[in-house]
Each structure stands twice: as structure tokens, then as C-alpha cells.
């Protein structure tokens, strides 16, 4: 059964799978400039503020921002777009070349002056004005080798002329050959032109424009989604609804509504690009649509708290998820006396109590699968963590990477875990004697005879179970990857 939730463990597992995924990001490319300054007076020439410029920041915008977000989330972006033979196009090329995980497939065949530039003037965190420099169209895109090897294809259509019917057909053909998912961030009213893509991602305003229907309430959204699916051959549509979250409808299935995350909004510029990048990476990594939507909501919620056309990192997503669920996770962290009383109460209710232990230093996909399997063998699962001193004695210098409080909150954030406690002894034998679990779970790298406390548990009628670990995942290997990555960046 596909896991459709995205708790902290599932988030970390998904981000791990998404790392290194190749995503083709193709569409309308532009240069985003932000001129930051101070306003201290009104112009004597007209009733307008006078901005004293302090600094100017430039970055790839449009589909360039989608690619930046893919790269920031750990993916490998192949960026395709069109620029002109002008200084702004050259500046864009330099900015793209400075990005480590973006491969340049930019078509520089546009006419002189054809590079789209959007300049925003900002003071005190507020945009005063935006200046757009653009031709009606910038020219067709011809670098269709950009799709090769991609697990996801993202078409970012700003109606500037790059996302043509030929480009759409090429993307769909490539996806048919390789199994890549195709997602479109659309413009205009004719969404049927995108063909049988896997997902179309309009915002509420675009959905209303394409269907002519109101989109304020959930019921109105559902009617509009049904109408749009009937008018297109797309497999699914997800509509972004700002603070209301997102709504998803697959062809032939009822709509699902996903609430937004309550966060302070500083700047919404580029939030749609962040959501598109998150959807593509998640689906390319094999996540369900539901998980991909939840990742997109989380990522967009983080990025609107930043200034300018910003990106979001995996660490920021994990921090945001931990903050969201810290209260519930902390509530699972229980002292031994209180835990013993809870376990006894569970037992009186006829519930089967499971127990496992470990360091769980850096949570990874193997841990998540292990704990999910452990939980399937009981009604309540208790996880006992080695204290920091105990981890150091077992693992040596540099361990643990995360302290006990952090590890406890992360483990407590998993839906499969009901309570978290800790122990400092060389083995958890005293804990097992006190809690008297019905099921004692260890990894399949143990033998039944090697499980500490196994004889005790069986003496009171309990059982010992050995859970499988996902191949290729371990804290040691994760640390080695981090070290290798750090050395590579330093080199």
C-alpha cells in the first residue's frame, strides 16, 4: 500500500530519494532584478516616493527559478529556455553557470534585446514598483535534448512563446519512452493544448479564467476542477490556493483538499516556482501525488517567508516540519516512571506493546521502514534511545551527530512511534524488565539468541521479532555521503 502521508520520517525519506534526481526545467526564462533601497521623502516633481538605491541583486527568474529550486532541494536541473543576444542574456548565462547543480541548455537564438528582465524596486520589505522589459515573444526553443535522462519534466509557461505545441509534443514523447512525469505550470485559457500531461498546476485565478467558474469555496473548486478535466486530457490537476493550501483531483476520482501551513508571508515572488520544483522532484522520486502536494505546500510555505525570488533547502523543510509538529513529538518523549504507568494502562486495555531501541542518530529511509514494520507487529510502539554518552561509547568520536533531545523529537515525529524514552546503560535490559513489552523488536542483523532481553520477554509470554532494514541505508553511510559532498564542494 502506498504511504500517502508526509510526516517527518516520510519527509526525510522522500528528500533522500529526491537527492540526485534529474529534472528537466523548460519554459520562459527571464532575469529577475531586485533594487533594494530606502524611501525618506516624496518627489517634488510628482506625488511618488523617491527610492535611494542601496544594492541590486540579480538571479534567474521564470523557469530559471524553478531550476534553482530543484537544485537547492538536492536535484540536478537541466535548464532550457531562450535568451537574447544582449547584456541581460549574458548576465543570465553567468548566473546559471555559477549554480553547481544546474546544467545549461539555454538557447541563445533570440534577437538582440529579447531577454526578458523584471526589475522590482523594494523598500522596507515592500515592493514599490515592478518594471518589465520584454518583447512579445522571445523565439522558439530548439534544444530538445534537454529532456534526456530526466525523471521529471517541468514546463513553466509564462506565455512568452517558448512552450509551443511542438515542445509539448516532444516532452510527452520523451516521457512515453522513459516513464518520466510531465508537469505544466500553465498560462492562458486553453489548457487542452498541453495534452495528456501527468499534472497541470494552475493557481486559483488561472483555474477560474480557464473554466469561467468561481473558485472561492472547496465545493466551487471541485466543480471547476471537474470542468477543467472534462475539457482536457490531463491525468490530474492540482490548484494552488495561497493560504488555503492546494486541491488535487485525478481523472475519475473525487477531489482532495490539503490545508496550507500557517506562516508569516514576507514575499510571494516565485512561490509557484518553488511548488512546481517540489512537485517534480517528489514525483520523479516515486512519491504519491498526495505526498508530492504536501511537499509542495511545505516548500512554498517556507519560501514566502523570504525576500525576493528565493529557494528552499532540505534542511529548511525538515526544520519547518519539526517546528510544525514539535509539540506533538515532544509529548511522546516520556520519563520512565510515567512511561511504565502508560504501558500498564495500555496492557489493561488489551493493547499489544512493542519495544525497540537504538541510537537513531541521523534518521534515514532504513530507520523509517524499520520502525513502520515494528509498529505493524504491535498496537503501541516504544522506542528507547541511547543517551549521548552511550552513543559515544558505542560509536566513538564525532558521535552522536545529533544530541538526545533532537533525536527524541525527530523519532517522536514519526506516526509509527507512540512513545520515546532513553537509557544510559550498556544494554536496555533494565528498561525491558520495567516495561515488560509483549513484542521485542531488533534488526535482522541480529540473531534471536543475540537479542538482549529476548529470554525475559518470552518468559512472560511475549515474542521476539527481527525487522528487515532497507538495503543500502545506514547512519554511517549517510555521514560518509555528507563528508564526500563537503570535500567535493571544497575542491
Amino acid at each position: 500500500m502506498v504511504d500517502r502521508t508526509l510526516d517527518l520520517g516520510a519527509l526525510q525519506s522522500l528528500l533522500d530519494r529526491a537527492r540526485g534526481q534529474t529534472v528537466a526545467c523548460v519554459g520562459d526564462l527571464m532575469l529577475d532584478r531586485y533594487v533594494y533601497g530606502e524611501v525618506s521623502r516624496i518627489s517634488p516633481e510628482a506625488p511618488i516616493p523617491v527610492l535611494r538605491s542601496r544594492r541590486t541583486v540579480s538571479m534567474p527568474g521564470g523557469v530559471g527559478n524553478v531550476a534553482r529550486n530543484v537544485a537547492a532541494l538536492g536535484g540536478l536541473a537541466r535548464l532550457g529556455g531562450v535568451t537574447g543576444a544582449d547584456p541581460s542574456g549574458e548576465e543570465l548565462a553567468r548566473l546559471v553557470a555559477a549554480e553547481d547543480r544546474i546544467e545549461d541548455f539555454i538557447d541563445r537564438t533570440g534577437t538582440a534585446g529579447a531577454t526578458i528582465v523584471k526589475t522590482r524596486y523594494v523598500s522596507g520589505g515592500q515592493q514599490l514598483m515592478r518594471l518589465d522589459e520584454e518583447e512579445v515573444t522571445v523565439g522558439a526553443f530548439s534544444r530538445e535534448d534537454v529532456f534526456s535522462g530526466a525523471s521529471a519534466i517541468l514546463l513553466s509557461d509564462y506565455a512568452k512563446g517558448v512552450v509551443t505545441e511542438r515542445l509539448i509534443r516532444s516532452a510527452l514523447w520523451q516521457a512515453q519512452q522513459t516513464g518520466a512525469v510531465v508537469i505544466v505550470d500553465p498560462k492562458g485559457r486553453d489548457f487542452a493544448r498541453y495534452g495528456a500531461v501527468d499534472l497541470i498546476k494552475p493557481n486559483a485565478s488561472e483555474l477560474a479564467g480557464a473554466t469561467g467558474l468561481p473558485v472561492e469555496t472547496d465545493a466551487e473548486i471541485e466543480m471547476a476542477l471537474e470542468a477543467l478535466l472534462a475539457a482536457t486530457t490531463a491525468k490530474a490537476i492540482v490548484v494552488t490556493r495561497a493560504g488555503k493550501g492546494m486541491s488535487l483531483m485525478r481523472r475519475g476520482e473525487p477531489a482532495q483538499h490539503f490545508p496550507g501551513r500557517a506562516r508569516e508571508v514576507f514575499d510571494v515572488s516565485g512561490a509557484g516556482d518553488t511548488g512546481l520544483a517540489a512537485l517534480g522532484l517528489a514525483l520523479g522520486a516515486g512519491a504519491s501525488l498526495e505526498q508530492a502536494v504536501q511537499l509542495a505546500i511545505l516548500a512554498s510555505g517556507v519560501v514566502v517567508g523570504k525576500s525576493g525570488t528565493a529557494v528552499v533547502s532540505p534542511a529548511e523543510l525538515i526544520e519547518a516540519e519539526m517546528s510544525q509538529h514539535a509539540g506533538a513529538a515532544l509529548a511522546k518523549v516520556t520519563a520512565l516512571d510515567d512511561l511504565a504507568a502508560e504501558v500498564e494502562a495500555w496492557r489493561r486495555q488489551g493493547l499489544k506493546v512493542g519495544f525497540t531501541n537504538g541510537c537513531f542518530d541521523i534518521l534515514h529511509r532504513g530507520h523509517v521502514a524499520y520502525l513502520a514494520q515494528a509498529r505493524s507487529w504491535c498496537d503501541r510502539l516504544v522506542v528507547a534511545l541511547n543517551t549521548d554518552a552511550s552513543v559515544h561509547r558505542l560509536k566513538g568520536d564525532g558521535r552522536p551527530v545529533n544530541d538526545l533531545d533532537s533525536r527524541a523529537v525527530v523519532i517522536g515525529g514519526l506516526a509509527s512511534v507512540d512513545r520515546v524514552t532513553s537509557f544510559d546503560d550498556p544494554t536496555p535490559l533494565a528498561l525491558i524488565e520495567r516495561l515488560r513489552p509483549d513484542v521485542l523488536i531488533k534488526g535482522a542483523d541480529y540473531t534471536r539468541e543475540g537479542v538482549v532481553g529476548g529470554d525475559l520477554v518470552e518468559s512472560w509470554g511475549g515474542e521476539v521479532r527481527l525487522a528487515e532494514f532497507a538495503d543500502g541505508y545506514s547512519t554511517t553511510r549517510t555521514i560518509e555521503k555528507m563528508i564526500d559532498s563537503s570535500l567535493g564542494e571544497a575542491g
Side-chain angles (χ1 to χ4, degrees), residues 24-28 63 80-82 105 107 139-147 153-157 161-175 182 184 193-194 197:
C25 307
V26 185
D28 296 303
V63 73
V82 179
F105 283 79
D107 197 338
F141 177 70
S142 61
R143 295 287 308 276
E144 296 177 10
D145 53 332
V146 67
F147 301 129
I153 296 171
L154 309 182
L155 300 181
S156 183
D157 191 357
V162 171
V163 183
T164 61
E165 291 186 10
R166 174 181 171 179
L167 182 69
I168 295 164
R169 287 197 303 269
S170 177
L172 290 171
W173 182 88
Q174 181 68 29
V182 181
V184 176
R193 65 186 289 265
Y194 298 116
V197 297

Side-chain angles (χ1 to χ4, degrees), residues 16-242:
D16 186 53
R17 299 199 310 272
R19 187 183 300 116
Q21 290 286 326
T22 299
V23 178
C25 307
V26 185
D28 296 303
L29 179 62
M30 54 199 71
L31 179 64
D32 278 353
R33 282 202 186 107
Y34 287 82
V35 179
Y36 296 97
E38 297 174 357
V39 172
S40 58
R41 63 190 180 97
I42 301 298
S43 171
E45 302 166 357
I48 56 173
V50 175
L51 178 71
R52 176 173 292 182
S53 175
R54 296 299 186 188
R55 64 188 177 97
T56 299
V57 178
S58 299
M59 61 202 70
V63 73
N65 190 45
V66 178
R68 290 178 66 233
N69 274 276
V70 167
L73 287 168
L76 302 175
R78 311 185 98 204
L79 174 59
V82 179
T83 64
D86 50 34
S88 295
E90 294 172 1
E91 184 177 358
L92 254 177
R94 290 193 298 270
L95 291 170
V96 171
E99 298 279 350
D100 288 338
R101 289 188 290 272
I102 298 181
E103 190 174 358
D104 184 345
F105 283 79
I106 298 172
D107 197 338
R108 296 170 175 82
T109 58
T111 58
T115 302
I116 298 171
V117 182
K118 294 188 176 183
T119 304
R120 298 168 176 87
Y121 297 88
V122 184
S123 176
Q126 298 294 320
Q127 286 192 30
L128 304 179
M129 186 182 75
R130 192 181 86 183
L131 174 66
D132 289 1
E133 304 168 63
E134 62 179 275
E135 301 287 339
V136 176
T137 60
V138 295
F141 177 70
S142 61
R143 295 287 308 276
E144 296 177 10
D145 53 332
V146 67
F147 301 129
S148 178
S151 61
I153 296 171
L154 309 182
L155 300 181
S156 183
D157 191 357
Y158 281 77
K160 308 301 181 185
V162 171
V163 183
T164 61
E165 291 186 10
R166 174 181 171 179
L167 182 69
I168 295 164
R169 287 197 303 269
S170 177
L172 290 171
W173 182 88
Q174 181 68 29
Q176 189 176 31
Q177 307 308 306
T178 64
V181 295
V182 181
I183 308 173
V184 176
D185 197 341
K187 277 294 183 289
R189 294 177 178 270
D190 180 18
F191 290 3
R193 65 186 289 265
Y194 298 116
V197 297
D198 293 280
L199 188 65
I200 298 178
K201 188 195 78 69
N203 60 34
S205 176
E206 290 162 344
L207 178 63
T211 61
L213 296 172
V215 292
E216 288 300 317
T217 67
D218 286 356
E220 289 172 345
I221 285 285
E222 290 173 18
M223 291 183 65
L225 289 173
E226 286 180 359
L228 189 54
L229 281 171
T232 68
T233 55
K235 298 172 185 175
I237 299 172
V238 60
V239 56
T240 59
R241 303 172 62 188

Side-chain angles (χ1 to χ4, degrees), residues 372-421:
Q373 186 176 18
R375 184 60 165 77
S376 72
W377 293 329
C378 57
D379 300 307
R380 297 289 186 271
L381 179 63
V382 175
V383 178
L385 301 178
N386 295 76
T387 62
D388 293 345
S390 177
V391 175
H392 182 74
R393 290 194 298 267
L394 287 169
K395 304 294 184 179
D397 292 341
R399 301 288 298 276
V401 174
N402 294 302
D403 62 27
L404 178 60
D405 289 344
S406 299
R407 289 182 285 130
V409 171
V410 170
I411 290 293
L414 297 179
S416 57
V417 175
D418 296 286
R419 291 294 182 271
V420 182
T421 192

